[in-house]
Amino acid sequence: MRRPAIPHASAPPTRAATEVITQDRLLTVHEAAERLGTSERFPRRLIAERRIAFVKVGRHVRIAESVLDAYIEAQTVQPAARRTRARYGRAA
């Protein structure tokens, strides 16, 4: 005999999460991959590893534009500052 399904208690979405959903365009995995310049496998891996926030719409996965922009910004490496050499060598 099967037990009746118990609904899972989930916390209501935070205000920040709701604002992201309502203000941003939601990208498909394919669109996110094009924007990153990678194959579809890379954004899917980011999602599977929970390294990027995503939205599930039914069985479909979507990524908000602002989330993708934030990920790109966080992964951007700034160039190293050029070190200046001393004009003269060390004194003996």
Side-chain angles (χ1 to χ4, degrees), residues 3 8-10 22-23 26 30 36 42 45 49 52 54 59 69-70 86 89:
R3 293 183 187 180
H8 293 113
S10 62
T22 57
Q23 293 178 355
L26 295 176
H30 178 75
L36 292 170
F42 182 68
R45 193 177 82 207
E49 294 174 356
I52 193 167
F54 61 96
R59 66 183 183 128
D69 292 339

Side-chain angles (χ1 to χ4, degrees), residues 3-90:
R3 293 183 187 180
I6 300 171
H8 293 113
S10 62
T14 62
R15 180 182 165 131
T18 306
E19 287 176 3
V20 166
I21 294 168
T22 57
Q23 293 178 355
D24 284 343
R25 180 169 171 250
L26 295 176
L27 305 173
T28 64
V29 173
H30 178 75
E31 292 170 335
E34 282 182 351
R35 190 146 180 203
L36 292 170
T38 64
S39 67
E40 287 186 31
R41 185 175 178 185
F42 182 68
R44 288 190 189 283
R45 193 177 82 207
L46 293 176
I47 291 166
E49 294 174 356
R50 302 291 197 258
R51 292 173 52 196
I52 193 167
F54 61 96
V55 178
K56 287 201 77 169
V57 181
R59 66 183 183 128
H60 303 285
V61 176
R62 300 290 184 258
I63 302 169
E65 274 185 317
S66 65
V67 170
L68 196 58
D69 292 339
Y71 176 79
I72 292 169
E73 184 67 30
Q75 299 302 317
T76 301
V77 178
Q78 297 300 321
R82 188 172 181 189
R83 286 196 263 169
T84 58
R85 290 182 146 184
R87 184 172 227 171
Y88 302 104
R90 292 184 184 173

